[in-house]
């Protein structure tokens, strides 16, 4: 189904509803611009919503996101479309015609999140929010603090009887099995790309054997394991056998600063690992932790945090790139590296290894398909009528994402004058 929607003159389109897109949308709307904020997920908040805590203050993601959700709720200038992506862009600076496609949620605005539909549903799907470490029902709430707070139905994961049971269970008539994809076109004066990042695929590094052992996880899986809303309710347990690990290894630059993978530094991975050491220490005061690194990069304001963690006598730092990780019969793994300072070969047997995988631009392929200007790594470059911000533009932390989103909003509001 296609429909034309008129957008008010000078409207701004923000693509991506993570912390950068939320910030850019609100900054533009609060000076009076009409803003369309589109997001491909069924919820706003992006990757920050998946973190257990975030530095520098180590607060839960809700403390930064919820205030933005309130501002969105209270601002009629921002129109949000979740489960929506850009299909085509034409026109030029000051006047773009953008075709968008919204996927069906199968749950309408009558949803009160009472959960009766999920109780009636026996079909399950892998929980992508928790990187497949657990399952949800086929009709599910994306996560505990989701905004908009509404269920979503994964129709493909549901049997015909299951669909009927879900529909019958809802006393608010919120289940609409006939919902269809919708295409619509907007005229906007400028576009802000805030499409963020995705974790670099750990299976690309053959030597790190990600698929060979449940003891090898990524840094984002660690965020979910440590989160109260995660698959283990916040206990850091080894996937598969639920062992409480007594020893851990962090493998820094897993794919980053490597011309065969990501040639750049992802900027936050050292800080993310230092932060995750605090998660481990809180739960396992005696655990032994080894960090394998090329260089430790904790720029400026983060130096003090690094110093505090390095004072922990049960954390050992080995300067050396990991050459190999091998699975052991007891469920653990051995991490092999050459110590670049002493020249010795190090073999460390641990219960869990965490790969500090980097951030690659999420919209790399889409940007190429739409003909957007990008650098060689797929980060979006600004042009006359479009701006990019946050991790769509460069691998950065939340504070820097916010700053670049404000700058992008400034540029966008000027384009429509
Ligand atoms: C392990 C790890 C831990 C981290 N911990 C911290 C921390 O403690 N503190 C900190 O400051 N930073 C941390 N970061 C970095 C932080 O996650 C990023 O700075 C932040 O997510 C950037 O926000 P963003 O909005 O630019 O991108 P994202 O969070 O990726 O949001 C982008 C949004 O755009 C949507 N999107 C993507 N493509 C499309 C499309 N084509 N159409 C529509 N929507 C689309 C996505 O679904 C997503 O919702 C961490 C990173 C990692 C890897």
């Amino acid at each position: 189904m296609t429909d034309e929607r008129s957008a008010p003159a000078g409207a701004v389109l923000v693509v991506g509803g993570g912390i950068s897109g939320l910030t850019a949308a609100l900054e533009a709307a609060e000076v009076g611009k009409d803003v369309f904020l589109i997001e491909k997920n069924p919820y706003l908040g992006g990757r920050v919503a998946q973190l257990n805590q975030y530095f520098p203050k180590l607060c839960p993601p809700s403390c930064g996101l919820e205030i933005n959700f309130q501002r969105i709720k209270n601002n009629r200038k921002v129109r949000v479309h979740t489960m929506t992506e850009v299909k085509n862009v034409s026109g030029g600076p000051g006047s773009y015609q953008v075709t968008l496609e919204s996927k069906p949620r199968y749950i309408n605005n009558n949803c009160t999140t009472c959960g009766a539909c999920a109780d009636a549903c026996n079909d399950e799907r892998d929980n992508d929010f928790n990187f497949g470490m657990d399952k949800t029902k086929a009709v599910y709430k994306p996560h505990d603090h989701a905004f908009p707070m509404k269920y979503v139905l994964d129709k493909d994961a549901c049997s015909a009887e299951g669909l009927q049971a879900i529909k019958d269970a809802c006393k608010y008539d919120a289940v609409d099995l006939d919902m269809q994809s919708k295409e619509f076109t907007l005229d906007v004066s400028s576009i802000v790309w805030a499409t963020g990042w995705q974790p670099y695929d750990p299976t690309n590094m053959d030597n790190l054997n990600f698929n060979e052992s449940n003891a090898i996880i990524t840094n984002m899986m660690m965020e979910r394991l440590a989160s109260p809303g995660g698959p283990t309710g916040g206990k850091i347990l080894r996937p598969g056998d639920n062992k409480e690990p007594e020893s851990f290894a962090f493998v820094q630059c897993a794919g980053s600063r490597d011309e065969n993978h990501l040639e750049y530094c992802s900027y936050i991975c050292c800080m993310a690992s230092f932060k995750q050491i605090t998660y481990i220490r809180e739960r396992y005061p005696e655990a032994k932790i080894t960090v394998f690194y090329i260089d430790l990069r904790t720029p400026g304001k983060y130096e003090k945090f690094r110093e505090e963690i390095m004072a922990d006598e049960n954390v050992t730092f080995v300067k050396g790139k990991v050459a190999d990780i091998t699975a052991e019969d007891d469920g653990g793994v051995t991490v092999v590296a050459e110590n670049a300072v002493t020249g010795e070969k190090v073999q460390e047997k641990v219960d869990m290894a965490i790969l500090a995988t980097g951030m690659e631009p999420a919209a790399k392929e889409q940007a190429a398909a739409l003909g957007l200007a990008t650098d060689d790594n797929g980060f979006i470059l600004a042009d006359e009528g479009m701006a990019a911000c946050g991790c769509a533009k460069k691998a950065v932390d939340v504070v820097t994402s916010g700053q670049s989103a404000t700058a992008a909003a400034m540029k966008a509001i000027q384009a429509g004058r």
Side-chain angles (χ1 to χ4, degrees):
M1 182 176 154
T2 310
D3 96 65
E4 294 284 327
R5 297 192 190 176
S6 59
V12 174
L13 173 68
V14 178
V15 186
I19 195 74
S20 304
L22 288 166
T23 308
L26 283 162
E27 297 282 12
E30 287 174 359
V31 295
K33 282 280 165 186
D34 287 281
V35 178
F36 293 88
L37 174 60
I38 68 151
E39 164 57 51
K40 71 174 177 187
N41 282 330
Y43 58 89
L44 301 181
R47 297 282 172 194
V48 170
Q50 288 177 295
L51 303 179
N52 170 43
Q53 295 176 335
Y54 68 110
F55 52 76
K57 290 193 178 160
L58 299 190
C59 42
S62 53
C63 81
L65 291 175
E66 269 171 17
I67 183 150
N68 285 318
F69 298 156
Q70 278 304 327
R71 286 163 76 195
I72 296 255
K73 261 197 232 169
N74 295 334
N75 195 322
R76 295 173 67 85
K77 290 271 181 191
V78 187
R79 270 158 271 193
V80 176
H81 297 271
T82 52
M83 302 182 75
T84 300
E85 286 188 65
V86 174
K87 300 279 286 182
N88 190 47
V89 179
S90 58
S95 175
Y96 291 101
Q97 292 73 51
V98 188
T99 309
L100 302 157
E101 182 181 21
S102 294
K103 295 263 161 43
R105 191 181 188 108
Y106 301 112
I107 305 290
N108 65 31
N109 289 339
N110 293 347
C111 179
T112 63
T113 59
C114 70
C117 55
D119 292 342
C121 173
N122 293 322
D123 300 305
E124 290 188 326
R125 61 184 275 284
D126 284 342
N127 186 353
D128 48 1
F129 194 77
N130 287 341
F131 298 96
M133 289 186 284
D134 63 353
K135 303 244 178 216
T136 70
K137 295 289 184 69
V139 62
Y140 63 99
K141 194 163 61 174
H143 64 90
D144 289 343
H145 302 284
F147 178 84
M149 183 53 93
K150 267 197 288 183
Y151 273 67
V152 193
L153 170 61
D154 182 345
K155 220 174 168 186
D156 294 338
C158 216
S159 60
E161 313 86 77
L163 290 174
Q164 197 53 49
I166 289 167
K167 181 141 182 73
D168 293 345
C170 181
K171 58 181 182 195
Y172 303 102
D173 202 19
V175 180
D176 179 354
L177 299 177
D178 298 323
M179 234 179 232
Q180 302 286 327
S181 288
K182 280 184 199 151
E183 246 186 42
F184 57 103
T185 304
L186 294 174
D187 284 307
V188 293
S189 62
S190 55
I191 304 174
V192 175
W193 295 95
T195 41
W197 63 279
Q198 63 192 13
Y200 188 64
D201 183 351
T203 63
N204 288 346
M205 282 84 67
D206 292 342
N207 58 326
L208 301 183
N209 290 314
F210 178 73
N211 277 340
E212 300 298 312
S213 168
N214 286 324
I216 309 173
I217 65 166
T218 66
N219 48 10
M220 281 306 283
M221 290 167 77
M222 177 57 105
E223 292 292 332
R224 296 312 302 146
L225 283 178
S227 169
T232 50
K235 294 185 180 145
I236 299 177
L237 304 175
R238 187 161 68 194
D241 63 3
N242 279 346
K243 178 183 164 53
E244 295 192 339
E246 289 166 30
S247 53
F248 296 82
F250 282 89
V251 178
Q252 296 306 113
C253 293
S256 299
R257 300 176 64 198
D258 179 336
E259 59 186 28
N260 296 314
H261 298 284
L262 302 179
E263 64 170 25
Y264 52 90
C265 166
S266 281
Y267 184 75
I268 54 76
C269 309
C270 290
M271 271 302 289
S273 294
F274 282 126
K275 175 183 67 167
Q276 293 180 354
I277 290 172
T278 71
Y279 301 167
I280 295 171
R281 200 41 89 230
E282 207 173 279
R283 290 152 181 86
Y284 303 113
E286 306 298 326
K288 299 268 184 268
I289 303 170
T290 308
V291 181
F292 293 90
Y293 67 96
I294 308 178
D295 298 298
L296 291 174
R297 293 183 168 175
T298 51
K301 55 189 182 286
Y302 296 137
E303 277 294 280
K304 195 164 177 312
F305 191 64
R306 178 184 65 76
E307 280 165 14
E308 281 165 16
I309 304 296
M310 290 187 85
D312 182 330
E313 57 189 25
N314 273 327
V315 186
T316 307
F317 291 84
V318 176
K319 186 172 171 70
K321 191 171 162 102
V322 168
D324 194 25
I325 306 181
T326 46
E328 299 292 350
D329 291 342
D330 69 352
V333 286
T334 297
V335 180
V336 181
E338 185 184 299
N339 186 322
V341 179
T342 62
E344 281 169 319
K345 187 172 177 186
V346 182
Q347 302 205 41
E348 189 76 25
K349 163 92 180 14
V350 290
D351 291 332
M352 185 182 268
I354 303 105
L355 308 183
T357 44
M359 306 192 279
E360 66 171 347
K364 190 158 126 173
E365 271 141 40
Q366 189 181 34
L370 292 174
L372 304 180
T374 62
D375 70 12
D376 292 345
N377 296 306
F379 289 106
I380 300 173
L381 301 170
D383 72 12
E384 216 185 314
M386 299 198 209
C389 60
C391 291
K393 182 179 177 188
K394 199 176 171 199
V396 285
D397 59 354
V398 170
V399 171
T400 315
S401 294
Q403 289 164 348
S404 73
T406 302
M410 271 294 270
K411 184 172 173 188
I413 61 181
Q414 285 168 359
R417 292 203 307 179

